[in-house]
Amino acid sequence: MEKEQALYLSTCMETLPPSTYEIKKLETVGGTLPKFHQWTNGKKTLAAYEVTRPVTETGYYFIFIDWHRNDIYYLVIYAHDKKTTFAELRQVQEIDGVPHIVWMYKPFKRDGKNDQRKAYFKQMFGSTTVQIKLPAATSEVEEFFEQVFKLCQNRIKADRIVEVFDFEN
């Protein structure tokens, strides 16, 4: 995503009135996010937030970062324990004249069962491609959070599906 889009989205998040989500801004130092995770060290970071939904006790970190050091910004969604990412959102497309983040489910586990994961994701959620409308105003940020949280939860379910079902039989 363009730097301006990332800045706009982070500003919308910061000005969100009290809602069902709690937002805590993380401190950046010199435009970076030190001591967060080895993958973020030294990379330009526009803003970072801990976003939680207290009613369901779920939360993620939203990091606006130059992920590959090429001036293309990502909204990287980290697990609440900071061990891994659930989504690296970068691609923005106009859909019916409205900008959307477009993300594809592409599992890269090394157990030979990624086809089953993709099939489950598609069967349960309609497609392996997710489209999330970018907020045009602060009033649309809560719906944006709903969609990002849903994406992460669906990803977790699909990644773990091979633990639930034995596809070998």
Side-chain angles (χ1 to χ4, degrees), residues 12-98:
C12 283
M13 289 174 60
E14 286 184 29
T15 57
L16 180 69
S19 71
T20 56
Y21 292 89
E22 292 178 0
I23 303 166
K24 181 177 135 189
K25 187 171 184 175
L26 306 180
E27 184 179 348
T28 55
V29 178
T32 64
L33 186 62
K35 299 179 183 173
F36 180 80
H37 189 278
Q38 66 184 4
W39 296 341
T40 64
N41 289 342
K43 295 178 182 175
K44 288 189 281 184
T45 304
L46 297 175
Y49 306 90
E50 180 180 16
V51 180
T52 56
R53 186 169 42 195
V55 70
T56 58
E57 297 182 358
T58 53
Y60 304 103
Y61 289 97
F62 286 55
I63 314 294
F64 293 92
I65 190 168
D66 183 358
W67 197 233
H68 295 289
R69 295 182 171 105
N70 59 1
D71 291 323
I72 297 173
Y73 283 82
Y74 285 65
L75 170 53
V76 178
I77 311 298
Y78 267 89
H80 203 254
D81 63 9
K82 301 180 188 176
K83 288 183 181 178
T84 191
T85 63
F86 287 128
E88 298 166 8
L89 308 172
R90 144 193 94 73
Q91 186 178 1
V92 176
Q93 289 181 1
E94 294 276 328
I95 300 172
D96 297 327
V98 178

Side-chain angles (χ1 to χ4, degrees), residues 115-131:
D115 287 342
Q116 290 95 331
R117 289 181 179 93
K118 283 173 67 174
Y120 173 82
F121 195 97
K122 186 173 184 175
Q123 178 183 358
M124 295 306 293
F125 313 117
S127 172
T128 55
T129 302
V130 176
Q131 300 170 346

